[in-house]
């Protein structure tokens, strides 16, 4: 493996250079898509605490330790900004989403957005989702080759449309909106980043137009009356200082939040289903606890689902839906003693820590007990486990996501048993968000 420095540190600074291969970006991206975990391990062995890769004609510095990740997430010197980095990657499709904002503007929008995710709202969302999710789970097909990813994606989209939009859309319209979201997500990692017909980028731009038209069309009705759904809440949310969202703000936040809630929950549930099929003893253990608890989950008994909680955390560790934290250096800065020149893109990648043998025992092994109070491997470092990001940009909807995931999986365990062949191992498509290439076919049997 050849070695090339990203940049020479200023004379007398005492900072060390960041090393990488210097290989062309297309080669680096293909390596990442093929096996990102292996790539990280190789770079850590070759370059130590931090490296860089080329992608999309840019250079991305990637910390390979939890300390380095923390430095990026906390951003104490405010030398790193999210908008230039995320704006480049996904800005045309999810512009002005909360993830793409920085500093005081981010704080301003987050304070208003938090009104939609306070305890009162979360309790209401949970009560609303219970009957809808139970019926959705009961309607799942049974037999061989049930595609878990597709079924769960449809279920989480229906939930998002009902809880976030307060709408019962015809299936054709729901599918149209779902396709627009998928096209927007897929476009972010497109190698061809121009509006050329037939490309992912072009489909993503078209998807954004579909979503904007949809939300603008329904916005007047949401402004006119207050209801419990997120769309209406954002139309009427007001910070303590009296600030509200403009129509453009509401549309931008709805597009981003609906995407984030829909895709991340689907991937987490699919990952849980995969490992519970591969490890039936854990499926039995989770089901036994679900059978011992009330059928209906309440906000106050969520904490009693300790087995599901451990399985969910381990699934999020092994296959984090969100790749990491993207930033760009606004000025010359450093990450744990390494020189980061102005203009460099920085990516703090969750899997770097989630698969680090210095932080986890046998990190490639499915072992939910690692989250038990006795072992508490996730406490080895504050950024050992970071599926929801960190710092001021930590996922605002993480508690909603956990409620949704536990409710769906609880009902799945009560209604069904599922399995995969003993020799089956899934293969992930890492070209956008990590999903199984074959959509995870299982044998699903009613109990």
């Amino acid at each position: 493996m050849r070695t090339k420095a990203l940049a020479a540190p200023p004379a007398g600074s005492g900072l060390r250079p960041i090393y990488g291969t210097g290989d062309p970006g297309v080669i680096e991206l293909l390596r990442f898509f093929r096996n990102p975990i292996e790539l990280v391990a190789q770079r850590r062995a070759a370059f130590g605490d931090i490296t860089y890769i080329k992608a999309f004609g840019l250079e991305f510095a990637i910390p390979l330790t939890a300390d380095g990740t923390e430095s990026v997430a906390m951003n104490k010197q405010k030398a790193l900004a999210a908008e230039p980095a995320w704006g480049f990657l996904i800005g045309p499709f999810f512009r002005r989403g909360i993830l793409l904002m920085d500093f005081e503007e981010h704080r301003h929008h987050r304070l208003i957005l938090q009104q939609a995710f306070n305890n009162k709202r979360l309790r209401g969302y949970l009560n609303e989702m219970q009957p809808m999710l139970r019926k959705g789970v009961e309607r799942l097909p049974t037999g061989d080759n049930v595609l878990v990813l597709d079924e769960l994606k449809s279920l989480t989209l229906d939930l998002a449309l009902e809880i976030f939009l307060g709408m019962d859309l015809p299936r054709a319209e729901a599918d149209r909106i779902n396709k627009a979201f998928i096209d927007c997500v897929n476009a972010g990692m497109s190698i061809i980043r121009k509006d050329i017909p037939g490309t992912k980028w072009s489909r993503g731009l078209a998807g954004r137009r579909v979503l904007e038209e949809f939300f603008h069309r329904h916005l007047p009705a949401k402004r006119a009356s207050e209801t419990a759904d997120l769309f209406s809440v954002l139309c009427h949310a007001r910070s303590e200082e009296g600030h509200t969202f403009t129509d453009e703000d509401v549309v931008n936040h709805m597009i981003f939040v609906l995407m984030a809630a829909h895709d991340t929950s689907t991937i987490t549930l699919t990952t849980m289903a995969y490992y519970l099929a591969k490890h039936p003893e854990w499926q039995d253990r989770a089901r036994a606890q679900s059978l011992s608890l009330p059928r209906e989950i309440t906000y106050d008994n969520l904490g009693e689902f300790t087995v599901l909680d451990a399985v969910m955390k381990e699934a999020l560790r092994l296959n984090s839906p969100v790749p990491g934290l993207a930033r760009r250096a606004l000025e010359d800065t450093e990450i744990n003693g390494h020189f980061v020149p102005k203009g460099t893109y920085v990516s703090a990648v969750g899997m770097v820590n989630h698969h680090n043998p210095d932080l986890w025992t046998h990190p490639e092994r499915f072992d939910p007990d690692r989250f038990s109070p006795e072992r508490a491997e996730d406490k080895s470092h504050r950024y050992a486990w970071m599926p929801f990001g960190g710092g001021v940009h930590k996922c605002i909807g993480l508690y909603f996501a956990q409620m949704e995931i536990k409710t769906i999986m609880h009902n799945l365990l009560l209604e069904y048993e599922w399995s995969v062949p003993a020799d089956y191992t899934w293969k992930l498509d890492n070209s956008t968000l990590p999903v199984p290439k074959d959509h995870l076919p299982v044998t699903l049997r009613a109990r």
Side-chain angles (χ1 to χ4, degrees):
M1 185 178 292
R2 64 184 184 143
T3 299
K4 184 178 179 181
L6 173 63
S13 67
L15 297 176
R16 290 164 286 169
I18 299 172
Y19 290 103
T21 65
D23 288 339
V26 172
I27 293 175
E28 295 279 51
L29 275 178
L30 290 175
R31 285 172 180 155
F32 181 84
F33 293 161
R34 185 176 67 247
N35 194 330
I37 296 169
E38 181 180 74
L39 176 65
V40 166
Q42 290 174 344
R43 294 304 168 87
R44 185 183 286 121
F47 303 123
D49 292 350
I50 191 168
T51 188
Y52 77 92
I53 68 170
K54 291 184 177 181
F56 313 117
L58 307 172
E59 291 158 331
F60 286 78
I62 304 176
L64 299 177
T65 66
D67 285 342
T69 299
E70 180 175 13
S71 177
V72 173
M74 299 308 293
N75 194 21
K76 292 181 179 179
Q77 305 303 317
K78 291 185 167 54
L80 304 174
E83 193 283 327
W86 283 118
F88 172 79
L89 293 169
I90 62 172
F93 320 106
F94 298 106
R95 60 180 172 272
R96 307 290 296 155
I98 191 69
L99 186 68
L100 284 71
M101 294 181 174
D102 287 298
F103 311 125
E104 186 55 35
E105 182 183 48
H106 173 265
R107 177 181 174 277
H108 168 76
H109 278 254
R110 192 175 179 98
L111 285 173
I112 304 174
L113 199 55
Q114 280 175 338
Q115 304 304 309
F117 294 99
N118 59 31
N119 280 352
K120 179 182 177 182
R121 295 291 183 191
L122 290 173
R123 288 176 181 272
Y125 298 149
L126 183 59
N127 289 337
E128 288 288 325
M129 71 172 68
Q130 293 287 328
M132 179 252 158
L133 289 179
R134 182 185 298 182
K135 290 177 183 176
V137 168
E138 289 173 349
R139 288 195 295 265
L140 291 177
T142 56
D144 298 331
N145 293 313
V146 174
L147 299 180
V148 171
L149 176 65
D150 297 354
E151 297 298 335
L152 291 176
K153 195 170 187 62
S154 177
L155 186 59
T156 58
L157 177 65
D158 288 346
L159 173 71
L161 294 175
E162 181 166 318
I163 301 299
F164 284 177
L165 272 64
M167 299 177 184
D168 184 13
L169 297 179
R171 175 48 60 187
E173 179 71 347
D175 289 344
R176 187 176 76 97
I177 298 304
N178 189 30
K179 181 181 183 301
F181 276 113
I182 292 171
D183 287 343
C184 286
V185 171
N186 288 344
M189 292 296 283
S190 177
I191 294 175
I192 300 173
R193 306 178 76 78
K194 292 185 181 298
D195 190 5
I196 300 173
T199 63
K200 287 184 179 181
W201 194 264
S202 180
R203 289 193 291 272
L205 294 174
R208 172 74 192 200
R209 291 191 292 271
V210 167
L211 296 175
E212 286 184 350
E213 185 279 329
F214 174 84
F215 283 108
H216 276 294
R217 175 159 40 94
H218 291 285
L219 194 143
K222 294 297 179 179
R223 288 284 196 199
S225 63
E226 292 191 47
T227 50
D229 55 274
L230 179 71
F231 197 176
S232 178
V233 171
L234 293 189
C235 285
H236 300 278
R238 185 180 300 271
S239 71
E240 292 182 0
E241 295 85 359
H243 298 139
T244 59
F245 284 142
T246 66
D247 286 359
E248 287 298 319
D249 290 335
V250 172
V251 170
N252 289 330
H253 285 308
M254 283 302 302
I255 290 173
F256 180 79
V257 170
L258 196 58
M259 177 278 296
H262 176 206
D263 279 324
T264 55
S265 295
T266 300
I267 292 170
T268 304
L269 283 161
T270 304
T271 305
M272 292 173 72
Y274 169 68
Y275 282 105
L276 289 177
K278 291 284 287 182
H279 300 271
E281 72 280 7
W282 274 99
Q283 187 178 148
D284 292 343
R285 187 168 163 183
R287 182 176 294 105
Q289 186 173 73
S290 281
L291 287 167
S292 72
L293 292 168
R295 176 66 186 249
E296 183 162 321
I297 295 179
T298 68
Y299 195 76
D300 295 319
N301 74 5
L302 272 167
E304 296 178 34
F305 290 82
T306 55
V307 179
L308 269 184
D309 192 63
V311 171
M312 178 181 66
K313 287 178 177 178
E314 182 70 334
L316 285 164
R317 184 188 70 83
L318 287 165
N319 187 38
S320 244
V322 180
L325 313 175
R327 304 287 184 267
R328 192 182 188 192
L330 301 176
E331 59 191 52
D332 286 355
T333 187
E334 59 88 24
I335 296 176
N336 289 15
H338 292 84
F339 176 56
V340 180
K342 178 181 177 179
T344 301
Y345 287 78
V346 177
S347 184
V349 182
M351 72 177 67
V352 164
N353 303 327
H354 292 178
H355 296 268
N356 188 341
D358 292 338
L359 301 173
W360 305 91
T361 304
H362 304 295
E364 302 315 310
R365 183 180 298 170
F366 176 74
D367 182 9
D369 277 335
R370 68 175 79 248
F371 291 93
S372 65
E374 296 77 22
R375 291 173 60 184
E377 292 185 14
D378 55 316
K379 308 300 183 186
S380 60
H381 191 286
R382 65 185 298 188
Y383 281 86
W385 188 75
M386 50 166 291
F388 298 104
V392 297
H393 282 85
K394 191 169 186 178
C395 176
I396 198 169
L398 68 93
Y399 295 112
F400 178 91
Q402 292 179 59
M403 291 190 323
E404 176 187 8
I405 290 163
K406 285 185 178 180
T407 301
I408 292 175
M409 191 54 66
H410 173 57
N411 280 282
L412 278 171
L413 289 165
L414 294 178
E415 295 291 335
Y416 305 101
E417 296 175 355
W418 63 95
S419 61
V420 292
D423 60 350
Y424 173 81
T425 301
W426 73 356
K427 290 180 172 58
L428 294 175
D429 178 356
N430 294 293
S431 60
T432 50
L433 301 180
V435 296
K437 293 180 178 181
D438 60 4
H439 294 210
L440 184 57
V442 304
T443 297
L444 189 68
R445 301 280 186 240
R447 295 187 67 250

